[in-house]
Amino acid sequence: MAELDDTQLGLMDRYWRAANYVSVGQIYLMDNPLLREPLKAQHVKPRLLGHWGTTPGLNFIYVHLNRVIKNRGADILYICGPGHGGPAVVANTYLESSYSEIYPEITQDEEGLRKLFRQFSFPGGIPSHAAPETPGSIHEGGELGYALVHAFGAAFDNPALTVACVVGDGEAETGPLAAAWHSNKFLNPKVDGAVLPILHLNGYKIANPTLLARMSDAELCELFRGYGYDPLFVEGHEPMPMHRAMAGSLDLAMDRINDIQGGARAEGGSGERPRWPMIVLRSPKGWTGPKEVDGKKVEDFWRSHQVPVSNARGDDAHRKILEEWLRSYQPQELFDVNGHLLPEIAALAPEGDKRMGSLPHANGGLLKKDLLLPDWRGMAVEVGRPGETIAETTRYMGAYLREVIRLNAEAKNFRLMGPDETASNRLDAVFEVTDRVWMEKIESYDVHLARDGRVMEVLSEHLCQGWLEGYLLTGRHGVFSCYEAFIHIVDSMVNQHAKWLKVMAELPWRKPIASLNYLLTSHVWRQDHNGFSHQDPGFADFVANKKADIVRLYFPPDANTLLWVTDHCLRTRNRINVVTAGKQPQPQWLPAEEAERHCVVGAGIWKWAGTCGGGEDPDVVMACCGDVPTLETLAAVDLLRRELPDLRVRVVNVVDLMTLQSKATHPHGFTDEEFDALFTRENPVIFAYHGYPYLIHRLTYNRTNHTNFHVHGFQEEGTTTTPFDMAVLNQIDRFHLAMAAIRRLPDLGAEGDRAIDKCRLSLEEHSRYVREHGEDMPEIQKWSWLHKTAAEARD
Amino acid sequence: MAELDDTQLGLMDRYWRAANYVSVGQIYLMDNPLLREPLKAQHVKPRLLGHWGTTPGLNFIYVHLNRVIKNRGADILYICGPGHGGPAVVANTYLESSYSEIYPEITQDEEGLRKLFRQFSFPGGIPSHAAPETPGSIHEGGELGYALVHAFGAAFDNPALTVACVVGDGEAETGPLAAAWHSNKFLNPKVDGAVLPILHLNGYKIANPTLLARMSDAELCELFRGYGYDPLFVEGHEPMPMHRAMAGSLDLAMDRINDIQGGARAEGGSGERPRWPMIVLRSPKGWTGPKEVDGKKVEDFWRSHQVPVSNARGDDAHRKILEEWLRSYQPQELFDVNGHLLPEIAALAPEGDKRMGSLPHANGGLLKKDLLLPDWRGMAVEVGRPGETIAETTRYMGAYLREVIRLNAEAKNFRLMGPDETASNRLDAVFEVTDRVWMEKIESYDVHLARDGRVMEVLSEHLCQGWLEGYLLTGRHGVFSCYEAFIHIVDSMVNQHAKWLKVMAELPWRKPIASLNYLLTSHVWRQDHNGFSHQDPGFADFVANKKADIVRLYFPPDANTLLWVTDHCLRTRNRINVVTAGKQPQPQWLPAEEAERHCVVGAGIWKWAGTCGGGEDPDVVMACCGDVPTLETLAAVDLLRRELPDLRVRVVNVVDLMTLQSKATHPHGFTDEEFDALFTRENPVIFAYHGYPYLIHRLTYNRTNHTNFHVHGFQEEGTTTTPFDMAVLNQIDRFHLAMAAIRRLPDLGAEGDRAIDKCRLSLEEHSRYVREHGEDMPEIQKWSWLHKTAAEARD
């Protein structure tokens, strides 16, 4: 390892000054980038939108990581946790030339510098975060909390990678970040890479000190040792001693990581969870910036959070402070007359793909290998007459995922995440070929825990989501299986990922990554045992607000449709696929070929389930989306068939919810002709939907027949009760659906009234029975009548 | 303090056995509650839905807290963090008689026991969580993560209260819980109560060990000392030694709390953050339950999580295990022949309001005092001609909140929460009368930090939300001010609170609590400087799915309407009020009296802003909801007035979004007549809405004129740019709105085409200017033309 002599430290300090200079330039200047002339008002941007406070610390870390990479040939992914850290990452990727290679118009000369400065936080330019536009970034840091969990996601199954994760002390106050420290209990030094957390305590948020910065070193040391780390403290503000301390601590940390990995990977490695190193860096907020402005403390205080000199365009005194500040970095010692970084400084940066701005892991699509996928038809459930076979739908998905894991075992590029519910969600077939990762103690009686495994379970939706995001963004694949109601815990994370995908798709140099796939199960209609707190189907509403080309919502009504959907989702890229399916025993409707035909279109008429031919004009359309709504709709049609034999009923089943939107709004949307062919132009449509009924209205409000849509769905009713009673309380059960249809058909007259009375009586009888016996009436629980009548109709 | 002799420990053990017996009974039995006859199939519920695993530990803690209360006369609030802990809290509140006082049909005899058992997780009965139905509870524990943050919320400003908070080791893996430990940095022993966390490590989740339980005591000790606590370990499984250890540790902890509070409250108390005690309780999951079932380990393993004996109704062997298990508690030693708890055992429970099931704090409405509120009219902004005054809207709310804090300073029953943004959100007037609470080190140069204060800032929306929930549920008041985009972080918490409110309102014994009030600011239309990651107005969509009588969404267009709305929200109960308003300088429209008239109705015609009288039939309705949409709509009307002077334009402004829903759906909804009177029955409506346009369609789809609604809103476009460019990119700017109106009026012919061309040119000119200069064109930034033309129309 190269010695840390004063010459090298001096060069590193100049590199750091260059990065700071280029950062301040981005925040303030639109012209005169090398200060060839005294700073004038017109050189300063009219709107100052950057954040200086965190930037010098980020630059400091970047420069020191460069040294580590050069010395060791390490692959280091830089995760910039602090919000608005854009100037630092952009400055450094520019200085190392990664930036100009991706954006050739930002040249390595004065004109390039001018453009670089001008574009920052400027209309039509680039954001102030380490966004998708930023080379080397997989993490935006717009919403705080997810730096560390992304870092671990990136490190899993990447044994040669070290993820240097800068955690700001603001972010460190968030819940997701506080839990993410425990990710070390899932990181295996034998097969995974390393995460080196760098907790950057610069002391302040927007207008407050931070909790962690005001804790004593003793308390911090206990906290992080308790989390399982070995903290190394680097503290101060004098640049040269700080360079020496940081370089020394980084060397120690990297040596320790080498030792840990070497030990674990050697024959007979212990397999125990090691105590990983981390760095606690205490440096002043706004380091090297103005100490005071207008008589108020700025450096090392929260006033340096955004722009320390606020009116540099309009106020001569402010502009003078800015100019002195910029000149304090002595740009003439950093750049040559043409604006090139001087070669002796530039030589400190790594080369080629070793540069953090060019690391392929940060552009995961470059590394992504398609999954090897099994033929789902081979594992389809046998379905004879519709409804005859009873099966747990998600169990078939479990078998499919087992094969996915088996086929890609060597590639190690697929993981299944979930908060302790893989078995509960009936995906336990995967445990035939893999285990849950667990780096804590394993007892002899533990089940399916191992140091290595494709399944990750932790009681934190935040960690599941964040790990998977980090894993996908670095070019791998995965599925997150979650209780439907609790997926709202990660609403805001999904939001940020959707935004990342939207912007990424607009950047040709960013290669497509695998989609983020959800299985939402233990859903609202089978939460009768967990009660009201576990009942919320609103994630679909949330996701539907995101950009149309990103989002897909699937509601497969049975096992074979779920198999098709799973297979399909694992082949897609750059999307968020939300699949909702139940785990309880339920009737199966479609054989494999029919399931495929149905799913490819996304929605269609189930002729066998209705009472009129496809070409015939129906009196009423009974539409359904979701497994329980489908069952109840078919039961309602059966009831109508018996009570009103002359009624022409059409059944439409929707698997891909986005087909309901117009073609102009969503790429999967039906044309108006296609839509009208299913739902008619003027006949009543009784639509049983899995979630909140409003979503159907929202998606269909501009369709011809919308005024005749009557949507039944979840109405926030019901708690601990029976499955069928949950449906009744929300009026999505067969009786309410049948009554709704009859009420829209006044021509039925007395015959209709009689049928309605019959439904009412059945509901009363059911309600009494359930409250007395604590379970649904036997005839409700049986499907035999259903497959008989529906199948007779088909035969 | 009473000595811990064997007699007392023996009695406590019997109490515990009684609680365990009543818990198992709830989970399994629907008859034969005292086992007077051998257990038969029909005595066992057909669907077994409870969770045994956590229950014995919860019972153990409850019994020991009873002892502490009796000995010390303490007020202790019991927070049951573990999910599905219902059987324990119900059993204990029944044994202490709190339950029967609230639910007189559940008597203290055999018949009462029978009903108690039967109702648990039974249709029409009670949930398996410590839900609103459960006496003594302010916390459901359905979705895990919030026990500790609720506990701290309850303790703030309650100096005589100790909150004993049981944290399950499953929950301890979540992010919100991991951050909540830091709440001790905000708890002042002088003015607040105490929180005694009891980390209950029973080792397992649904199907996995837990992270914390598998950590060594040494690591746990470091972790919690690092968080600032002094952990006391109670570990084992033999009942009598465990009773002794628990009683001793609780005494130590309570003594330590007394010392801390005594020191802090004495003359010259240090004011430093103390090291609070906590208890780490390691006890077996499913303690005292069956050790093995079907040859598999059950006690002290995850198989005891739900029902350890799954088929006790259908399988004789299983039923035998259940019967032996029940009899192992020796019910004949616990209850007399009538089913009364034996008096020597019953005497262990506290009396009256000291019983944890009867503590008034757990039914906060009992303690709630209405806030003293200032007259908002006295602090209204002077508005002459509409648009003439420019002001930062939220600054007026800040002044109002300052007066709220001043008026209620003595009552200490109002707090303002926010993630480090009180000043940034222009609410800093509050710092004239109070400070931010801060129990860490305070430096001489810190600003508005103090040991005591009404403002709580931490960079965790989860903590802000959870503290406020705990504070409200124990009878106090508050406001949470948040960046609009990041309120999604707490979607799922809001969900759970809304569910609590819905159920609570159905229970007459639960008294109404203060509403949960949000100010969402730094909103989507002024996130041009923070960029795409900070742009999301979808919280309204999320909240609108909740039960109608709980939810209110307000979009005041200026300062005086915001004042009215704030004042109104602080007077309401049992609601979730979401107020969205900008913090940037903007034109003010309505003087106080007009603001009041407008807000009381919720939406109305702004005659002065349109170009036709109120009675006249307009050619087009320009509707707006939100401050920026209102501004752009008025500018669009101004443009139409100039270009098409004969056009009759009506302006409708909506403050209370729920007015758009039908009267049948929402209590604030307009009747169809009222709605049609504003929006006409057949004329085009160009609706500029603050958020995602779908929400307007969702709310209005069944209105007469809905097919003519053309909604402009946020389309997920725009990033770092200028404010006006953000509007343009999402087509909610004046030019797009004007063009939208003209396009719906084909009769305008060539005159309309010319106006459209003019708009297009303006847009092109704007786009060029912004990209060149980095700021909006001066004429866009000026409002003078606006108030002139609009006011001339009014004069």
Side-chain angles (χ1 to χ4, degrees), chain A residues 219, chain B residues 152 155-156 159 161-163 181-197 224-225 227-232 252-262 264-265 272-279 439:
Chain A
E219 229 172 35
Chain B
F152 277 93
F156 296 134
L161 183 69
T162 298
V163 187
W181 295 105
H182 286 299
S183 303
N184 58 1
K185 278 104 191 168
F186 298 87
L187 189 82
N188 183 345
K190 193 165 170 182
V191 298
D192 299 322
V195 172
L196 176 62
F224 289 107
R225 285 187 56 82
Y227 271 124
Y229 297 84
D230 194 3
L232 301 162
L252 264 175
M254 294 300 289
D255 288 348
R256 178 84 183 109
I257 288 171
N258 280 345
D259 290 350
I260 289 169
Q261 292 178 335
R265 293 171 193 182
E272 292 308 295
R273 167 168 64 89
R275 187 172 281 279
W276 294 96
M278 68 175 284
I279 289 175
M439 291 300 297

Side-chain angles (χ1 to χ4, degrees), chain A residues 597-617:
Chain A
R597 272 199 301 277
H598 185 52
C599 290
V600 165
V601 182
I605 299 174
W606 283 7
K607 280 186 204 163
W608 54 269
T611 63
C612 64
E616 236 180 306
D617 200 32

Side-chain angles (χ1 to χ4, degrees), chain A residues 370-381 392-409 414 416 425-434 477-479 517 519 559-572 579:
Chain A
D370 287 342
L371 286 174
L372 299 175
L373 294 177
D375 183 354
W376 65 270
R377 294 164 201 86
M379 50 196 75
V381 58
E392 294 162 325
T393 294
T394 53
R395 205 171 277 293
Y396 288 80
M397 180 173 176
Y400 180 86
L401 293 178
R402 177 194 62 213
E403 295 309 307
V404 173
I405 291 170
R406 198 200 300 271
L407 288 168
N408 301 279
F414 177 87
L416 176 61
N425 288 339
R426 313 290 190 264
L427 304 179
D428 40 332
V430 298
F431 295 126
E432 295 167 24
V433 296
T434 191
H477 308 260
V479 169
N517 302 307
L519 169 68
N560 290 337
T561 48
L562 175 61
L563 282 172
W564 184 91
V565 167
T566 305
D567 182 81
H568 175 75
C569 291
L570 288 177
R571 296 173 193 276
T572 64
V579 183

